[in-house]
Amino acid sequence: MKRRLVAVLPAAGSATRLGELGGSKEALELSPGSGPIIGHALRGAAQAGAERVCVVTRESKTDLIDVLGDGAAFGVPVEVHTTAPTPSAVHTLCVALRGLGDVDVMLAYPDLLVRPASAFLEVARRHGRSPADVTLAVLPSQRPDKADMVRLDADGRPIELVIKDPSCALRYTWGLAVWGPRFTELLVRRADARSGGERELYVGDVLRESIERGFTLDAVRFEDGVVVDVGTPGDLERARTLHWD
C-alpha cells in the first residue's frame, strides 16, 4: 500500500554567511516579483503530491512565517513548527519528524535550489515504485568542498557518500530526498544519541550510516540538472542569473 507523502523543510538557520539581510534568507526574492526563495521547494512538494509541508523555523523569523501563511499561495497546506536554535539540520528536522507516523518524507532544503523543477515529482514517483529505503535526486556538482558527493554503482544506486571533501573527485551530489519510516527512525535515533562537543551532524552522515547498515538507496540522476545553495553571497548572485521554474 502506498504511503502518504509529507514534505519537511528545515528553515531554522541564521544565514550568518550572508551578512545583514534585513530578514530571513528563505523569504528573499531572487528578482522583483519572483516570490520567496522557499517557494521553489514548496511548489516542488505540491507538484510531487505532498499532502502537506512541515516547515521548521524559529519564532523570531516572523517575516518567513508571514510569507508562508497557510500555504495556499504555493498550492500545498503548510504547517509551521517553531524551535529554539538546534545543533544541526538533523535536529531541526526531528522537530517535525517525531510526530509524522507511517508516512514517506520528502526532504527539501528551502535555500537549496534544484533544477529541473520536475525533480521533486520524478523522485517521489521513483520512490513510490521502489522498495528502497531512500531515493535521492543526484545532480552534477563541481563543489565537493560544500556538498555531499555521491558514488553510484553500475546500476545507478548510491553506495557511498563523501561529505565536504575538497579533494573528492566524484561527479554527483544530491539535492533532495524521499524516504520511508525506517530511515526516519534512524534519523531520530542519531539525533537523540548525539553528544555535545562533536561537529555538526549532517543528513549526509545519517545517509552514509544507512548504507553501512544495509539500507537500500535508489536515485534519479539528472545529468543536466543544476543545484545551488544560496547560503553565500556568491552563490546567491549566481542563483539570480538562472531560471528555476
Side-chain angles (χ1 to χ4, degrees), residues 190-201:
R190 291 294 284 112
D192 288 346
R194 199 67 171 179
S195 61
E198 298 180 79
R199 73 156 172 82
E200 179 181 352
L201 179 66

Side-chain angles (χ1 to χ4, degrees), residues 12-107:
S14 56
T16 54
R17 293 177 298 170
L18 285 172
E20 290 296 326
L21 291 177
S24 305
K25 68 177 174 180
E26 300 90 353
L28 291 176
E29 292 189 336
L30 292 177
S31 60
S34 65
I37 288 173
I38 197 172
H40 176 76
L42 292 170
R43 290 189 294 271
Q47 292 165 6
E51 67 172 30
R52 68 186 189 278
V53 177
C54 300
V55 179
V56 185
T57 188
R58 290 180 284 116
E59 286 186 4
S60 60
K61 298 176 81 165
T62 55
D63 60 330
L64 175 60
I65 294 170
D66 289 345
V67 160
L68 292 169
D70 62 1
F74 307 100
V76 61
V78 170
E79 296 177 0
V80 175
H81 301 249
T82 57
T83 181
T86 66
S88 73
V90 173
H91 292 81
T92 300
L93 285 171
C94 287
V95 172
L97 292 178
R98 294 179 193 278
L100 288 184
D102 188 33
V103 300
D104 284 337
V105 173
M106 171 175 280
L107 167 62

